[in-house]
Amino acid sequence: MPKAFDPQAVEAGWYARWEADRLFVADPASDREKFALAFPPPNITGELHMGHALQTAVYDLLARYRRMTGYEVLFLPGYDHAAIATQNVIEKQLAREGATKEELGREKFDARVNAWYEQVGATIINQLRLLGASMDWTRLRFTMDSRYYRSVMTAFVVFYEKGWIYRAPRIVNWCPHDRSAISDLEVEWREHQDTLYFIRYPVKGGGEVTIATVRPETMLADTGVAVNPSDPRYRDLVGHTAILPLVGRELPIVADEAVEKDFGTGALKVTPGHDALDYEIGQRHGLEIIDSMNLDGSMHVPGLPYDGMLALEARNKIVDELKAQDLIVKEEPYVHQVGHCDRCGFVIEPLISEQWWLRMEEMRDKALAASQAGEVRWHPERYERTYLDWLRGLRDWNIGRQLWLGHRVPVYRCENGHQIVAVDPPSECSECGGTPLTQDPDVLDTWFSSALWPYATLGWPDETEDLEAFYPTDINCTAREIINLWVSRMIMTGLEFMGEVPFADIAIHCIVQAADGRRMSKSLGTGIDPRDLISKYGADALRAWATSVAMSSQDVRFDESRVEGYRRFCNKLWNATRLVLSSPGYETAATPGTFEAREHLEDRWILSRLSAAARDITDGIEGFTFQDSINAAYGFTWNEFCDWYLEAVKERLRDGDVAAQDVAHFCLDNLFRLLHPFMPFVTEELWSRLPGDRDYLMRTEWPTQLGRFLDPGAEEEFQDVMTIVEEVRGHRQNSGAPPRGGQIHLEGGVSHTVANLAARLAHLELVHTLDKGTPLAAADGKVSFPAGARDAKRDKEIKKLESDLARIQAKLANSNFVSKAPQEVVDETQQRADALEAAITRLKLE
RNA sequence: GGGCGGCUAGCUCAGCUGGGAGAGCGCCAGCUUGACAUGCUGGAGGUCGGGGGUUCGAAACCCUCGCCGCCCACCA
């Protein structure tokens, strides 16, 4: 067995073996209880980043844990076509080549996209394998594969037949770059420093009204002026008509509650064609809608000199002309939020467009009712509110996109104007039999298809065996930024189509930031490729780190040294195993179990500690506090099993002591099981090196029967041992004594077992009389302290203990404390005081 | 504008329902200790963001202020 743990060498073979033996493949016909995870399909826009690695580690931990606890587990992988995002990726590639998708043409563009899907899909799968994700590859899904496509079409048709899908012109968020509408959730708000212009609009019949705007170019499409009805400044103007400068259009002056009296001048220019609020005001007052913008964001004002200009260009020219006419009252610097397309970054232009809409009321209400009924549990709980608040304010969803990439809307029209909505493309018009039919050019919002993920991947709308066995799935774990975009929509459509929430538990994991606190991103150069970390520290180390931070209440800054720490942890496990394996005769010690005798204190102690660790690790997983699991496993392994137990039994192991072998073996065996979900590779490897004929660790049982080893008496006694050993080491160090040698004197109260073990661990000779020799040591005043070892550090320690004691005694002297605090707290405090007094006495002894 | 999270050792973070301030890394000192120098031993380092309050007792609960971050939102 190599002296050092080498992740590369260990990891290489296991994944292939697990997979070849079909350990990841779920059986819907199994008698076992089912546990299903539909892995959030990564966008097929590029390679997986740290966030994906973290998420994968969490999912796989749950999958492996559930397999070991007896469930039939389905861990279903896949990826998402991510229409708008992928289209942007390809367009950027084309731009670098000096081309555009229009030049390329639709067919070649599609071919290019498919090639990209193949390439990136393969990379993603490879990364997931490197991470050790125990996914059922026989069920790999893609949101654009033919079966999934059919699910999406079916959902559309069902919604349509319910009357929930309709087409209507409305103000939408228009991305001039993508030439598509996007939903409110895809708008990213960024702070802009702009200028607020105060512009004078003359009023017909005399007077004027001054409005404030940051977008003077939109005035070309103004069709009204609005003021608040309760604003005394403008009361007399309501009902009058303003004249639009530069254009001459007559603008009715209306009163509307939506106008803020305190903003600007309190008078608002109304541009129903290019502002959401103005649109609503316009609707209420029957104002005309004028469209002054082309779909590429340029001005569409035929007959005016601004026609065809870019918005900003037009703005400058308009401001110049208004100034020339002395219509600008003033300009103020103004900081505000401006919407951008979250995929391409272009400034969003609100404009009127005819779009496909999905009514959400009924689905929203069902989702709210499900939460009310406790069918959805959030971890941490606070995210439930984020979700519910958003749901309550939900409006109709714009599901149409004017992109090249995505699921085409299944709506067809014949030459006679009939409209057919069908899952499969009809060959002729169902009303007049006419041909040819043309399909609606729109595609669906990529989130429309993602919303079906938990059941479309299982075969819906067909009543498949998988759907029957594995729906609902059990847990969804994602970043909070897609709670509204994705999680909420899965819940709504899941309730609608399947009648049940798609998962009962939702865990929100943290976001990994770069070490300096910035966002991890490729473009900023702050991203880290998980594969680099895997090759440096191993997948196990990366996973252990990921699960240790995943459920953090705040986002975490990436700290590479922590990943490195977990690699060292793997090495520690490795070497602990090596030590045990080197015990003579151990190879043939096939049947553990003789430790039941448990005559040694250290054996009883470590089994008790193992039992506690198993409990803490299990509780952490069940309670979505994975960091507690990792910490318990780490602490047990390093600070208890290695630092104390193995040190205590080294000689016994060297002598081939069967009880020591059995106990050590039992600890390792259970520890590997307990760590397997977190660090699957190294644990599987070490497990395979233990003697005996072994099946895969991956499919052994989770330890659940260790409670019987809890042994408070042994823990207390061993605590005495540790205290003595630590005191001896401390004083040795302070007095410059060599690390070994010297004697320990046994006094009255100390059990022979404790003294003996302490002597062994501290490398002392145990003697039974006080007058023999000079050194040493200690515990609870039961062992005398030798003369001649007094030093400055000891004085300092005495001082510290004395001040601690003074504080505690003051507490005990407080009658309020004694009378009001619970008796056990008072008792405990008294015990601490006694212990401190004893320690001081001991240290002062000469 | 509303909501949420964070502020704990030099750094990255734990501290759950209030009762002795923790870990990893880093730092200092000492160790070729028959598993591991990816190691071992000892140690330094914190008025738990500031200020009030509740309590016998507060890092934890309440109020308030200050920064940092996120989400939501139709004030042009």
Side-chain angles (χ1 to χ4, degrees), chain A residues 399-668:
Chain A
I399 53 173
R401 296 291 181 274
Q402 293 67 52
L403 301 169
W404 284 24
L405 216 166
H407 300 96
R408 282 282 286 279
V409 169
V411 175
Y412 307 84
R413 292 181 193 86
C414 74
E415 286 176 332
N416 294 323
H418 298 128
Q419 180 170 290
I420 306 124
V421 178
V423 172
D424 298 311
S427 53
E428 56 176 43
C429 176
S430 54
E431 287 189 44
C432 65
T435 50
L437 298 172
T438 50
Q439 186 172 3
D440 190 285
D442 279 8
V443 300
L444 290 165
D445 181 358
T446 191
W447 295 105
F448 183 92
S449 56
S450 315
L452 319 176
W453 187 250
Y455 47 91
T457 48
L458 299 175
W460 184 87
D462 298 332
E463 288 172 16
T464 61
E465 205 182 3
D466 274 4
L467 195 61
E468 174 63 30
F470 296 114
Y471 191 91
T473 68
D474 290 86
I475 292 168
N476 186 263
C477 177
T478 51
R480 59 176 175 270
E481 61 188 0
I482 55 174
I483 289 174
N484 298 331
L485 279 165
W486 191 46
V487 179
S488 63
R489 286 160 174 171
M490 283 192 287
I491 293 172
M492 287 188 281
T493 70
L495 283 163
E496 188 56 41
F497 293 130
M498 298 297 300
E500 269 183 278
V501 293
F503 29 72
D505 289 286
I506 300 155
I508 302 298
H509 67 244
C510 73
I511 290 165
V512 185
Q513 299 171 333
D516 59 7
R518 285 187 296 168
R519 200 183 164 77
M520 266 204 183
S521 102
K522 210 181 267 179
S523 54
L524 287 174
T526 51
I528 291 176
D529 189 335
R531 282 171 299 191
D532 292 344
L533 293 170
I534 290 173
S535 60
K536 241 170 133 177
Y537 306 110
D540 290 323
L542 178 59
R543 289 173 58 125
W545 165 77
T547 46
S548 79
V549 301
M551 299 307 289
S552 172
S553 62
Q554 61 177 329
D555 292 339
V556 294
R557 296 183 174 203
F558 181 65
D559 183 358
E560 191 166 334
S561 72
R562 286 185 63 181
V563 181
E564 192 184 351
Y566 286 112
R567 184 194 56 176
R568 289 210 291 262
F569 178 57
C570 291
N571 188 60
K572 192 72 178 172
L573 259 188
W574 182 270
N575 276 290
T577 307
R578 209 155 67 91
L579 172 66
V580 176
L581 285 173
S582 71
S583 176
Y586 178 59
E587 302 262 348
T588 55
T591 46
T594 49
F595 61 82
E596 293 290 354
R598 296 186 344 233
E599 56 181 293
H600 297 275
L601 172 60
E602 64 268 30
D603 292 356
R604 288 165 53 214
W605 173 76
I606 198 64
L607 290 169
S608 182
R609 297 308 303 151
L610 171 69
S611 171
R615 182 198 58 214
D616 293 345
I617 293 165
T618 306
D619 287 352
I621 299 174
E622 295 278 353
F624 294 94
T625 51
F626 311 125
Q627 66 280 5
D628 293 346
S629 303
I630 283 281
N631 290 341
Y634 188 100
F636 171 76
T637 305
W638 204 308
N639 306 123
E640 296 179 328
F641 186 67
C642 292
D643 287 353
W644 291 98
Y645 183 71
L646 289 183
E647 290 303 327
V649 298
K650 258 180 184 171
E651 288 168 31
R652 289 171 57 201
L653 286 174
R654 216 152 35 221
D655 295 344
D657 179 283
V658 175
Q661 288 173 346
D662 275 350
V663 173
H665 174 95
F666 188 74
C667 287
L668 286 177

Side-chain angles (χ1 to χ4, degrees), chain A residues 723-741:
Chain A
T723 304
I724 293 172
V725 171
E726 278 165 359
E727 276 193 29
V728 170
R729 283 173 183 162
H731 294 303
R732 220 176 225 158
Q733 197 107 5
N734 292 344
S735 58
R740 290 166 173 265

Side-chain angles (χ1 to χ4, degrees), chain A residues 19-76:
Chain A
E19 195 179 358
D21 280 343
R22 299 178 67 80
L23 301 192
F24 307 152
V25 180
D27 175 13
S30 163
D31 292 338
R32 297 169 165 223
E33 204 174 326
K34 309 297 187 298
F35 184 86
L37 298 167
F39 187 66
N43 281 356
I44 193 154
T45 45
E47 296 161 0
L48 301 188
H49 52 64
M50 288 298 286
H52 291 118
L54 182 141
Q55 186 175 39
T56 305
V58 170
Y59 266 90
D60 196 51
L61 136 66
L62 294 168
R64 288 176 186 269
Y65 170 71
R66 288 294 166 186
R67 280 194 200 93
M68 294 176 77
T69 48
Y71 289 80
E72 183 64 26
V73 171
L74 169 62
F75 183 14
L76 186 145

Side-chain angles (χ1 to χ4, degrees), chain A residues 167-481:
Chain A
R167 193 162 166 80
R170 287 231 196 123
I171 193 123
V172 298
N173 306 299
W174 187 263
C175 174
H177 170 262
D178 294 334
R179 308 268 176 103
S180 174
I182 60 174
S183 73
D184 292 345
L185 286 173
E186 292 165 293
V187 176
E188 183 187 311
W189 295 89
R190 295 185 203 160
E191 197 166 84
H192 274 215
Q193 304 206 345
D194 274 322
T195 304
L196 186 61
Y197 298 93
F198 290 74
I199 305 169
R200 211 180 336 238
Y201 283 18
V203 174
K204 201 173 171 185
E208 60 181 36
V209 57
T210 301
I211 57 85
T213 180
V214 283
R215 303 180 64 205
E217 71 279 11
T218 63
M219 69 187 284
L220 303 177
D222 282 3
T223 57
V225 170
V227 298
N228 190 289
S230 68
D231 194 333
R233 292 174 294 178
Y234 300 114
R235 196 163 287 154
D236 296 339
L237 279 180
V238 175
H240 287 68
T241 304
I243 306 295
L244 182 63
L246 309 180
V247 179
R249 186 181 303 128
E250 296 197 350
L251 311 174
I253 300 176
V254 301
D256 195 289
E257 293 285 355
V259 180
E260 296 288 331
K261 284 183 283 189
D262 300 333
F263 187 87
T265 61
L268 169 70
K269 70 191 237 348
V270 184
T271 321
H274 295 286
D275 185 277
L277 176 66
D278 292 12
Y279 176 79
E280 286 173 21
I281 294 174
Q283 294 292 97
R284 288 196 281 270
H285 299 278
L287 299 179
E288 189 191 348
I289 295 172
I290 292 177
D291 179 2
S292 68
M293 188 166 277
N294 295 310
L295 295 183
D296 64 358
S298 65
M299 302 303 290
H300 171 70
V301 281
L304 290 175
Y306 322 102
D307 192 42
M309 282 184 173
L310 290 173
L312 211 57
E313 207 180 338
R315 179 183 303 178
N316 292 333
K317 191 168 166 63
I318 286 169
V319 168
D320 285 347
E321 289 186 21
L322 290 172
K323 276 182 182 161
Q325 295 183 31
D326 194 29
L327 290 171
I328 301 253
V329 178
K330 62 172 173 174
E331 298 173 28
E332 283 178 0
Y334 185 58
V335 177
H336 65 140
Q337 301 287 315
V338 175
H340 292 68
C341 175
D342 74 352
R343 286 305 163 185
C344 72
F346 265 57
V347 171
I348 290 303
E349 297 290 351
L351 51 78
I352 304 289
S353 169
E354 188 157 312
Q355 295 287 338
W356 291 103
W357 300 88
L358 174 57
R359 287 188 221 284
M360 303 301 290
E361 295 87 359
E362 281 193 41
M363 284 192 281
R364 176 199 61 202
D365 291 345
K366 281 184 192 168
L368 288 170
S371 278
Q372 191 70 36
E375 291 166 23
V376 185
R377 293 183 298 267
W378 293 80
H379 311 275
E381 277 175 26
R382 67 186 130 92
Y383 288 110
E384 176 167 36
R385 197 169 140 188
T386 307
Y387 159 76
L388 291 178
D389 283 352
W390 182 79
L391 265 191
R392 292 193 184 104
L394 196 52
R395 296 192 282 181
D396 287 356
W397 178 7
N398 174 7
I399 53 173
R401 296 291 181 274
Q402 293 67 52
L403 301 169
W404 284 24
L405 216 166
H407 300 96
R408 282 282 286 279
V409 169
V411 175
Y412 307 84
R413 292 181 193 86
C414 74
E415 286 176 332
N416 294 323
H418 298 128
Q419 180 170 290
I420 306 124
V421 178
V423 172
D424 298 311
S427 53
E428 56 176 43
C429 176
S430 54
E431 287 189 44
C432 65
T435 50
L437 298 172
T438 50
Q439 186 172 3
D440 190 285
D442 279 8
V443 300
L444 290 165
D445 181 358
T446 191
W447 295 105
F448 183 92
S449 56
S450 315
L452 319 176
W453 187 250
Y455 47 91
T457 48
L458 299 175
W460 184 87
D462 298 332
E463 288 172 16
T464 61
E465 205 182 3
D466 274 4
L467 195 61
E468 174 63 30
F470 296 114
Y471 191 91
T473 68
D474 290 86
I475 292 168
N476 186 263
C477 177
T478 51
R480 59 176 175 270
E481 61 188 0

